[in-house]
């Protein structure tokens, strides 16, 4: 007991040692009884509504000696561990004072810990029970420890409990068997879960519910629905828990008609619709694409919780209805951190990083809640998308200042943010200081090295990952192959690609084939790339044909480009990028009639080229520029700086490469003007007039940087003695002293 509690008691408690089973002449009674007329204190325990009241009764029980009656002590433990005002720390202190707890008391503590944030304690108490209690665990003990094993996904431990239950002749107990179904499902072994279910002699509704839920959550929605039909045939009446599982299966299948049928079944059979079931219906409607049904149900719901509100909020965001999403957020009766996270992640995951960071800043000013791990991960991701280094650094400092422990999610997000914002050195520092590195931490670091053009370093890190006994996954291989692509490591890329399945058990997917086509095509091995596509065991996707089309643009192979573009458009007729790439190839060779033909097709289909957009962060504010943008408040100064840059370039003999224009421009001076208006040049010019000479100019572009702008950026870095980091859609370009880190291999 704590000293504070001891001070409140007139008689100090006596903490007696546990007695071993061999020296205990009086075994722990299973169900002792106490006359409540003679001992009124235990009946008062039921009336307690605070821990302080419970402590007063505890002190009285110690004074009267009633505490050492097993039944009374058991009632005290139950109240301290399982009541609405329970305190597990206090419950454990009380438990440790009891000289010989009975089995009921042991079970109570095991049960409380199994549902606590630290289920491991449940297993430790169970081990103590085996050593210190005369009685063997019973049919009430096993469901609790199996629940703890489920929470921990401790497969071997749970199997041991299964074996112990069999040895204790409890293999037919329906409560234990139901717990085992849930346990095996939680551990991902659906076959064992189903085997236990089938062998359950007298299945109750919980048995069916457990198995339906296991199938639904384990990626087998068809089996869950089939089991529900079997439940009906067995005349087992479903309840609200059953219908939550069945709705989850419909949601996983994205089967709206099935979901609607389930909702009507609930109504026809007058199944109690509580908040959990309402939320399950709401989630099904939203994820299956019926926003009207979801809104109708939401408006009818008499009770709503944070899940109800965030489901609607997320649904609006995914539909692109951001004003409505914000309206839902503002209408929430209370905004805990989950609500803020829902809005921030809705923007971040739907390509709206600026809006996500605006809400994050609003949260900082709000007193409603404090950022948690999910908030910080979303904000770091949004910062990475924008290249907002200052905010990303602030979040890093916030994590350290508030003593937030870096788990693998946060570590991965920090590495990704620093790498995408251009500070690879800091990204590597986070990696090497991380106490724990899972496959995602390693993969993010490999990706960072890859996008910065450090292919060899990425391969070396991959080797160290294998030495650390961390198994690579599909994402790891995508990142490693990208590293090979950016640095021309053809042989290394081929070797790793063909090792994926036989050595590492990772089946190559469309992204891996697209990377391999890019590796071969970028290095000029176009025919080998074609042969690889022809031998693919899966149908080539748009990304695969896109990689080949991109390689054709690099090497000017018009005939193969036309074939690749045709196949790409068969799969994705509205892919404007395919038309733009082919236009690039035609423009490069002066075939302006074909460029015009493609432009007409795009107009007829209502397709528009994605506009180039470049952003630069200055003093914590992200500034965006479009092609020919004049909306910035310093637009006059920016264009004046561009004129200065153009004059300097001409003074050193630079002649613009006008062959890369995507439109037919007759006059030579107009060609130069069109090239001068590219968004990355505007961003670089703004950086030159707004940032100190020692500050790197970091620019993020949404498209691939063009050859002309790449050449100009190299010259600017030398003429102005500035470091320029330009991140385009595919990689980083570090410009310094008139050179680029890509060595013109991009």
């Amino acid at each position: 007991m704590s000293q504070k509690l001891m001070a409140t008691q007139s008689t100090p408690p006596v903490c007696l040692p546990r007695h071993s089973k061999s020296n205990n002449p009086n075994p722990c009674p299973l169900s002792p009884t106490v006359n409540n007329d003679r001992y009124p204190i235990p009946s008062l325990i039921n009336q307690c509504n605070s821990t302080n009241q419970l402590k007063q009764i505890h002190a009285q029980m110690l004074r009267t000696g009633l505490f050492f009656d097993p039944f009374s002590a058991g009632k005290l433990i139950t109240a301290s561990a399982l009541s609405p005002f329970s305190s597990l720390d206090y419950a454990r202190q009380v438990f440790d004072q009891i000289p010989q707890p009975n089995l009921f008391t042991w079970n109570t503590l095991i049960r409380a810990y199994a549902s606590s944030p630290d289920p491991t304690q449940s297993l430790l108490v169970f081990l103590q029970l085996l050593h210190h209690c005369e009685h063997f665990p019973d049919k009430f003990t096993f469901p609790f420890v199996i629940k703890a094993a489920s929470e921990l996904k401790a497969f071997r431990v749970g199997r041991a409990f299964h074996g112990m239950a069999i040895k204790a002749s409890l293999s037919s107990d329906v409560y234990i068997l139901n717990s085992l179904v849930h346990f095996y499902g939680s551990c991902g072994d659906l076959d064992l879960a189903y085997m236990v279910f089938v062998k359950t002699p007298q299945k109750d509704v919980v048995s069916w519910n457990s198995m339906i839920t296991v199938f639904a959550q384990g990626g087998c929605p068809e089996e869950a629905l089939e089991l529900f039909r079997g439940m009906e045939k067995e005349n087992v009446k479903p309840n609200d828990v059953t219908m939550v599982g069945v709705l989850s299966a419909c949601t996983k299948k994205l089967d709206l008609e099935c979901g609607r049928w389930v909702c009507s079944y609930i109504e026809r059979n007058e199944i109690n619709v509580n908040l959990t079931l309402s939320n399950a219906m709401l989630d099904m409607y939203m994820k299956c694409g019926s926003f009207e049904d979801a809104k109708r149900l939401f408006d009818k719901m008499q009770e709503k919780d944070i899940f109800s509100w965030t489901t609607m909020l997320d649904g609006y965001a995914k539909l692109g209805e951001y004003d409505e999403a914000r309206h839902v957020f503002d209408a929430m009766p209370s905004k805990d951190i989950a609500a803020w996270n829902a809005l921030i992640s809705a923007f971040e995951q739907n390509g709206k990083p600026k809006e996500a960071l605006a809400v994050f800043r609003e949260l900082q000013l709000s007193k409603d809640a404090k950022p948690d791990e999910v908030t910080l991960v979303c904000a770091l991701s949004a910062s990475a998308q924008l290249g907002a280094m200052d905010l990303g650094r602030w979040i890093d400092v916030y994590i350290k200042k508030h003593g937030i422990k870096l788990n693998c999610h946060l570590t991965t997000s920090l590495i990704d943010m620093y790498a995408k914002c251009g500070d690879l050195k800091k990204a590597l520092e986070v990696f090497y200081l991380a106490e724990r590195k899972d496959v995602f931490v390693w993969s993010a670091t490999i990706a960072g090295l890859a996008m910065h053009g450090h292919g060899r370093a990425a391969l070396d890190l991959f080797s160290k990952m294998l030495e650390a006994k961390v198994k690579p996954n599909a994402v790891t291989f995508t990142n490693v192959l990208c590293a090979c692509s950016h640095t021309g490591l053809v042989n290394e890329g081929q070797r790793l690609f063909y090792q994926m399945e036989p050595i590492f058990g990772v089946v190559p997917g469309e992204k891996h084939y697209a990377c391999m086509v890019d590796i071969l095509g970028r290095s000029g091995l176009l025919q080998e790339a074609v042969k690889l596509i022809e031998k693919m065991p899966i149908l080539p996707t748009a990304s695969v044909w896109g990689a080949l089309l991109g390689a054709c643009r690099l090497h000017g192979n018009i005939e193969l480009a036309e074939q690749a573009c045709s196949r790409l458009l068969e799969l994705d007729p509205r892919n404007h990028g395919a038309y733009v790439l082919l236009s690039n190839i035609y423009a490069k060779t002066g075939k302006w009639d074909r460029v015009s033909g493609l432009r007409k097709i795009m107009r007829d289909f209502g397709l528009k080229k994605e506009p180039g957009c470049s952003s630069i962060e200055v003093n914590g504010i992200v500034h965006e520029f479009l092609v020919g943008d004049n909306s910035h408040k310093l637009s006059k100064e920016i264009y004046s700086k561009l004129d200065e840059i153009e004059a300097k370039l001409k003074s050193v003999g630079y002649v613009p490469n006008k062959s890369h224009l995507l439109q037919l421009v007759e006059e030579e001076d107009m060609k130069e003007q069109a090239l001068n208006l590219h968004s990355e040049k505007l961003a670089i010019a703004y950086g030159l007039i707004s940032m100190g000479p020692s500050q790197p100019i970091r620019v993020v572009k949404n498209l691939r940087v063009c050859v002309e702008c790449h050449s100009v950026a190299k010259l600017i870095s030398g003429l102005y003695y500035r470091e320029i980091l330009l991140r385009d859609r595919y990689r980083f370009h570090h410009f310094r002293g008139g050179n680029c880190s890509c060595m013109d291999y991009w």
Side-chain angles (χ1 to χ4, degrees):
M1 295 291 287
S2 68
Q3 291 181 348
K4 185 177 179 181
L5 176 60
M6 299 274 277
T8 66
Q9 301 167 352
S10 58
T11 305
V14 180
C15 188
L16 300 178
R18 301 269 186 260
H19 297 288
S20 65
K21 288 186 272 190
S22 58
N23 296 328
N24 180 13
N26 299 311
C28 307
L30 281 175
S31 55
T33 58
V34 172
N35 187 325
N36 281 337
D37 293 332
R38 185 178 175 188
Y39 299 108
I41 288 178
S43 62
L44 293 175
I45 292 175
N46 296 331
Q47 302 172 31
C48 285
N49 53 29
S50 72
T51 304
N52 285 336
Q53 291 180 358
L54 207 59
K55 288 179 178 179
Q56 291 175 13
I57 293 175
H58 181 188
Q60 182 68 17
M61 289 172 69
L62 285 167
R63 282 196 295 271
T64 61
L66 190 60
F67 179 77
F68 302 102
D69 170 68
F71 174 78
S72 303
K75 291 213 56 158
L76 184 63
I77 283 286
T78 301
S80 57
L82 301 176
S83 66
F85 53 87
S86 63
S87 166
L88 262 177
D89 290 338
Y90 174 60
R92 185 57 192 258
Q93 290 171 348
V94 172
F95 179 83
D96 287 340
Q97 282 189 319
I98 303 173
Q100 294 177 350
N102 60 18
L103 188 54
F104 172 82
T105 306
W106 284 100
N107 286 348
T108 301
L109 193 62
I110 290 168
R111 174 187 176 187
Y113 275 127
S115 300
S116 76
D118 186 13
T120 306
Q121 293 300 319
S122 180
L123 306 184
L124 296 176
V125 174
F126 177 79
L127 292 176
Q128 290 178 322
L129 181 156
L130 296 177
H131 288 289
H132 297 300
C133 186
E134 180 69 24
H135 294 274
F136 192 77
D138 63 6
K139 65 179 183 178
F140 299 109
T141 317
F142 282 109
F144 301 143
V145 289
I146 292 169
K147 174 181 169 60
S150 299
E151 295 295 322
L152 296 166
K153 293 181 171 51
F155 184 75
R156 291 184 179 179
V157 175
R159 290 216 71 175
F161 293 151
H162 191 174
M164 290 176 71
I166 292 171
K167 287 183 179 180
S169 301
L170 296 171
S171 60
S172 298
D173 184 83
V174 69
Y175 299 107
I176 294 174
L177 293 173
N178 290 345
S179 299
L180 286 167
V181 169
H182 174 70
F183 161 72
Y184 286 122
S186 298
C187 293
D189 197 327
L190 274 61
D191 291 335
L192 274 176
Y194 188 64
M195 184 181 75
V196 172
F197 170 77
V198 169
K199 291 185 177 180
T200 302
Q202 294 183 330
K203 301 177 184 67
D204 59 10
V205 67
V206 177
S207 311
W208 291 91
N209 289 351
S210 299
M211 197 63 234
I212 288 170
T213 302
V214 164
F215 275 142
Q217 295 180 354
C220 297
E222 288 287 0
E223 288 80 354
L225 295 172
E226 185 62 34
L227 203 63
F228 174 62
R229 287 187 280 269
M231 181 180 184
E232 285 195 297
K233 289 177 184 177
E234 294 291 328
N235 293 318
V236 179
K237 187 177 180 181
N239 58 18
D240 56 303
V241 178
T242 319
M243 305 321 296
V244 169
V246 175
L247 281 166
S248 176
C250 297
T251 305
K252 291 286 172 65
K253 283 185 65 183
L254 299 178
D255 190 337
L256 178 60
E257 289 310 308
C258 180
R260 282 176 171 160
W261 180 87
V262 173
C263 291
S264 65
Y265 179 95
I266 291 167
E267 188 175 348
R268 287 196 313 271
N269 289 273
E270 299 181 346
I271 293 172
N272 176 47
V273 179
N274 54 24
L275 180 58
T276 303
L277 184 51
S278 292
N279 282 337
M281 291 191 284
L282 191 67
D283 188 53
M284 181 276 297
Y285 281 135
M286 193 62 76
K287 288 180 178 173
C288 290
S290 180
F291 186 76
E292 295 78 11
D293 284 330
K295 191 173 187 309
R296 196 178 303 115
L297 173 62
F298 181 79
D299 292 339
K300 282 169 53 181
M301 287 171 63
Q302 294 183 347
E303 183 185 3
K304 301 180 180 78
D305 63 3
I306 190 67
F307 183 88
S308 320
W309 287 96
T310 53
T311 299
M312 294 300 294
L313 189 158
D314 190 53
Y316 274 123
K318 286 179 178 175
L319 285 171
E321 301 284 347
Y322 297 106
D323 290 340
E324 287 296 327
R326 182 68 209 216
H327 178 74
V328 169
F329 178 78
D330 292 336
M332 286 183 172
S334 63
K335 299 180 184 70
D336 61 7
I337 192 58
W340 287 94
N341 289 346
L343 188 60
I344 293 169
S345 64
F347 283 127
E348 181 266 317
Q349 292 176 15
N350 290 283
K352 297 280 184 179
K354 284 187 74 174
E355 290 81 354
L357 293 181
V359 177
F360 177 69
R361 291 189 181 96
E362 189 180 336
L363 168 62
Q364 292 171 250
L365 299 173
S366 165
K367 295 181 180 179
D368 290 341
K370 289 184 178 180
D372 64 5
E373 177 201 328
V374 176
T375 325
L376 298 174
V377 167
C378 289
L380 285 168
S381 177
S383 301
Q385 290 179 50
L386 280 175
M389 172 78 85
D390 290 348
L391 181 58
R393 282 192 186 125
W394 183 90
I395 295 170
D396 191 3
V397 171
Y398 180 92
I399 290 168
K400 292 170 182 173
K401 183 179 177 181
H402 288 80
I404 299 171
K405 190 170 177 62
L406 275 183
N407 58 23
C408 289
H409 293 295
L410 274 174
T411 302
T412 301
S413 298
L414 277 171
I415 292 168
D416 183 63
M417 181 277 296
Y418 277 120
K420 287 181 178 174
C421 289
D423 196 339
L424 182 61
K425 183 179 177 181
K426 186 65 178 176
L428 291 171
E429 180 186 312
V430 173
F431 172 77
Y432 285 114
L433 289 175
E435 293 180 10
R436 183 168 171 262
K437 302 179 182 76
D438 67 2
V439 64
F440 298 103
V441 172
W442 285 92
S443 299
T445 311
I446 290 169
L449 289 166
M451 74 175 72
H452 284 267
H454 298 286
R456 290 285 178 192
L459 292 180
D460 290 342
L461 192 65
F462 178 73
S463 297
K464 290 178 182 177
M465 176 182 176
L466 299 181
E467 290 171 9
K469 307 296 182 187
V470 178
K471 185 180 178 183
N473 61 14
V475 174
T476 317
F477 279 105
T478 299
N479 297 342
V480 173
L481 291 173
C482 282
C484 295
S485 174
H486 292 320
T487 44
L489 301 174
V490 179
N491 293 333
E492 292 84 347
Q494 287 181 309
R495 175 176 55 81
L496 286 166
F497 179 77
Y498 289 111
Q499 286 179 349
M500 283 177 63
E501 189 170 4
I503 294 179
F504 299 102
V506 179
V507 179
E510 61 172 90
K511 289 184 179 179
H512 306 108
Y513 277 100
C515 285
M516 260 328 291
V517 169
D518 191 54
I519 289 172
L520 295 169
R522 196 180 289 271
S523 63
L525 302 172
L526 293 173
Q527 290 308 314
E528 288 192 35
V530 171
K531 289 177 183 177
L532 178 67
I533 294 172
E534 290 172 347
K535 293 179 181 178
M536 282 178 62
I538 56 177
L539 286 173
T541 59
S543 61
V544 173
W545 292 113
L548 182 62
L549 182 56
C552 292
R553 178 189 55 78
L554 284 174
H555 299 286
N557 191 321
I558 295 178
E559 183 180 349
L560 188 55
E562 288 174 339
Q563 294 175 28
C565 185
S566 175
R567 300 298 294 272
L568 197 162
L569 291 173
E570 285 176 12
L571 296 169
D572 186 3
R574 299 192 62 80
N575 189 317
H576 60 79
Y579 291 104
V580 172
L581 274 173
L582 193 55
S583 291
N584 267 303
I585 298 169
Y586 289 149
K588 191 175 180 181
T589 54
K591 298 183 184 299
W592 294 107
D593 55 333
R594 297 192 184 182
V595 172
S596 299
L598 286 176
R599 295 276 174 161
K600 184 178 185 305
I601 293 172
M602 290 181 71
R603 283 195 300 272
D604 291 344
F605 277 98
L607 299 177
K608 290 184 179 180
K609 176 184 177 294
E610 183 180 357
C613 177
S614 296
S615 62
I616 179 171
E617 185 185 35
V618 178
N619 298 325
I621 299 172
V622 176
H623 301 260
E624 288 186 342
F625 297 90
L626 299 174
V627 177
D629 202 337
N630 59 8
S631 61
H632 197 278
K633 64 179 181 180
L634 295 180
S635 184
K636 185 177 179 180
E637 290 86 344
I638 291 169
Y639 280 97
S640 176
K641 178 60 77 171
L642 281 175
D643 291 339
E644 176 191 305
I645 292 169
E646 186 181 353
K648 279 198 173 190
L649 292 176
K650 285 183 177 179
S651 70
V652 296
Y654 179 72
V655 178
N657 186 344
K658 300 160 193 170
S659 67
H660 297 283
L661 285 172
L662 295 186
Q663 69 270 18
L664 179 59
V665 181
E666 297 290 349
E667 297 82 4
E668 289 296 309
D669 59 336
M670 290 298 291
K671 286 186 178 182
E672 288 190 26
Q673 185 180 351
L675 288 168
N676 218 26
L677 299 178
H678 283 193
S679 63
E680 55 266 56
K681 288 183 181 177
L682 296 173
I684 291 171
Y686 179 65
L688 287 172
I689 66 174
S690 303
M691 304 176 77
S694 62
Q695 291 179 282
I697 296 172
R698 292 185 169 89
V699 175
V700 176
K701 185 174 183 183
N702 63 331
L703 305 175
R704 182 183 186 273
V705 63
C706 75
V707 174
E708 160 66 14
C709 289
H710 187 269
S711 300
V712 168
K714 283 197 294 184
L715 288 168
I716 291 174
S717 71
L719 291 170
Y720 286 85
Y721 305 101
R722 297 297 292 264
E723 181 183 1
I724 301 171
L725 292 90
L726 196 159
R727 187 185 99 199
D728 69 8
R729 178 170 282 182
Y730 302 104
R731 61 167 296 155
F732 261 97
H733 297 271
H734 293 242
F735 301 101
R736 185 188 288 116
N739 296 304
C740 180
S741 60
C742 74
M743 306 297 289
D744 293 335
Y745 188 85
W746 58 287

